[in-house]
Amino acid sequence: MTSDQQPAAPASGTVHWIGTGLSTGRSGLSLVCERARRVVLWDRTAERAAARLAALGLAGRAEVRALTPAALAARTGPGDVLVSMLPAAEHPALLRLAADRGAHFACTSYTTPELAERAREAAARAGTVVLTEAGLDPGIDHLMAHDLVARAREAVGPSPATAVFTSWCGGVPADPGPFRYRFSWAPYGVLAALGAPARYVADGAEATAPRPWEATRTLTLAGEEFEAYPNRDSLPFVAQYGIPYYWHLDTFVRGTLRNSGWRAAWRQVFDTVAAGDAGAVRALAAELAARHPTTPADRDRVVLSVSLELRTRSGGSWRGSRLLDLTGDGAESAMARCVSLPVAYGVTRILAGALPAGLNRAAETPREAARWLAFLGAHGLAGARAETASTAAGAPA
């Protein structure tokens, strides 16, 4: 805590869960209902919120309200927790409201510079705890990365080493079909993301893929082939994951995983995105939404693979990995469970006064990450862990 920052404001026990879209799962919302003194579920209308509660098997477990800025502001009190399940563009305004009311804020989205700055201001002014990147990706992937880095540092010690780090995550259909994908959220967002360059480390140097799909590689996990490509900017996560300066990064990449055959099936999509015509991309997105929607009969699948390999100058090596492979069922989709349960657990940490004022990205210390993973493991979301080590002949074990 800095000298100009207040201690975290005491939690009131009231949680405002804002938004009831596909990422609001029964597991996460049920946990909040169990741990919070009072839960208020906000949607465009109170009737929609009540219907969502009933669909999740949680009828009567939370109050329901119609969401307007004025109504939310009127019912938010000091120490309350605002959980935004709305699009990322809505987060800054909700964080401002939280700070104005002396409340806390949580979301599952990436931390933008604007959100980080507002988190600093809110902490200094009101002792606001701000939790971000607390879903699946970002979220569970961060926890796995922190765990692997901590284990590697303990195993190898302060020895110079060459490191290969990869983190791949995908929400895919359990039954891929010819298109190898089904849309569970706005197709335009999926297509637009493909048009954003990806930055990462490959062969020991910084690399950029202007068209990320062109950097697609084959990835074999537990004997099954997938396709994976880099996305966004991986480089800021080198520091966030605590990679020590004496590790030389041969590879550091975070990216998206897809079913095998995806790149071939999406050739028309790539051609349209590469042409750079926003109108054509929107038109194609609308067409794909109609042709490849996720229906109630479909089952989704989440696959997350995080791995770290070290090779020391003496010839020793260490490798650790975590693999989460979860298929949804009729009660809850895999994506809803993997997004809502981590943020819900983060909310319980806020309620317990365990997180400091200011910005918290999921769990940023090995000890806190281990706590989160232990909880998620008890609910089937920590993934299978593997670890191997070898020592060069004549080198100390």
Side-chain angles (χ1 to χ4, degrees):
M1 185 170 64
T2 60
S3 58
D4 62 343
Q5 181 177 309
Q6 298 187 30
S12 68
T14 294
V15 175
H16 300 271
W17 190 283
I18 305 165
T20 63
L22 295 176
S23 291
T24 293
R26 185 184 192 284
S27 297
L29 192 53
S30 176
L31 176 67
V32 171
C33 290
E34 291 171 7
R35 302 285 184 89
R37 179 179 59 81
R38 173 173 171 252
V39 179
V40 185
L41 183 64
W42 297 82
D43 203 344
R44 287 200 298 270
T45 67
E47 291 76 18
R48 280 175 56 94
R52 183 61 172 159
L53 269 182
L56 295 174
L58 300 173
R61 299 283 298 279
E63 300 174 27
V64 294
R65 294 285 184 272
L67 178 62
T68 67
L72 181 60
R75 292 185 177 273
T76 300
D80 290 0
V81 183
L82 273 59
V83 183
S84 177
M85 303 301 284
L86 300 179
E90 307 290 336
H91 295 163
L94 288 173
L95 175 51
R96 185 189 307 116
L97 168 61
D100 288 345
R101 303 296 293 168
H104 307 294
F105 175 83
C107 71
T108 63
S109 302
Y110 280 100
T111 308
T112 63
E114 180 184 11
L115 206 61
E117 178 60 29
R118 291 198 174 176
R120 285 190 289 270
E121 295 172 353
R125 178 159 60 96
T128 298
V129 176
V130 178
L131 175 64
T132 62
E133 301 183 13
L136 167 64
D137 173 7
I140 299 178
D141 58 339
H142 290 352
L143 303 175
M144 292 180 173
H146 282 294
D147 174 69
L148 291 175
V149 170
R151 289 178 180 277
R153 295 182 72 161
E154 181 179 359
V156 175
S159 302
T162 298
V164 173
F165 175 89
T166 61
S167 178
W168 307 108
C169 185
V172 298
D175 179 8
F179 192 59
R180 320 306 288 171
Y181 192 79
R182 288 192 179 277
F183 294 95
S184 58
W185 60 294
Y188 179 75
V190 178
L191 271 56
L194 286 170
R199 196 164 69 118
Y200 54 103
V201 175
D203 298 324
E206 181 180 324
T208 300
R211 298 174 178 176
W213 67 86
E214 293 181 349
T216 299
R217 67 186 73 179
T218 299
L219 181 68
T220 302
L221 299 173
E224 181 178 357
E225 282 198 355
F226 296 90
E227 295 177 1
Y229 63 93
N231 68 6
R232 297 180 177 264
D233 185 356
S234 297
L235 270 60
F237 296 92
V238 173
Q240 185 170 323
Y241 292 165
I243 302 293
Y245 71 90
Y246 46 83
W247 289 2
H248 168 71
L249 291 176
D250 175 83
T251 302
F252 189 95
V253 58
R254 300 175 74 253
T256 299
L257 180 147
R258 293 289 182 247
N259 283 309
S260 180
W262 167 80
R263 186 173 179 182
W266 277 49
R267 189 171 292 111
Q268 176 194 359
V269 175
F270 301 144
D271 290 345
T272 302
V273 171
D277 184 335
V281 173
R282 289 192 179 277
L284 178 58
E287 176 188 340
L288 294 176
R291 287 169 51 193
H292 306 287
T294 297
T295 71
D298 292 319
R299 296 289 173 261
D300 72 325
R301 181 184 181 192
V302 164
V303 182
L304 168 61
S305 170
V306 182
S307 69
L308 172 63
E309 183 174 356
L310 296 183
R311 294 192 177 277
T312 65
R313 290 179 180 175
S314 63
S317 67
W318 181 93
R319 187 180 190 279
S321 65
R322 280 186 180 264
L323 174 62
L324 172 63
D325 188 346
L326 182 71
T327 298
D329 55 30
E332 186 175 33
S333 73
M335 185 60 70
R337 186 177 175 192
C338 290
V339 172
S340 68
L341 192 56
V343 74
Y345 182 69
V347 169
T348 70
R349 300 294 286 155
I350 297 175
L351 293 174
L355 300 185
L359 182 62
N360 299 263
R361 295 177 175 92
E364 296 187 87
T365 67
R367 177 176 295 181
E368 186 69 8
R371 185 189 296 271
W372 285 52
L373 284 170
F375 171 83
L376 294 174
H379 293 77
L381 296 188
R385 190 176 74 201
E387 185 174 327
T388 59
S390 65
T391 305

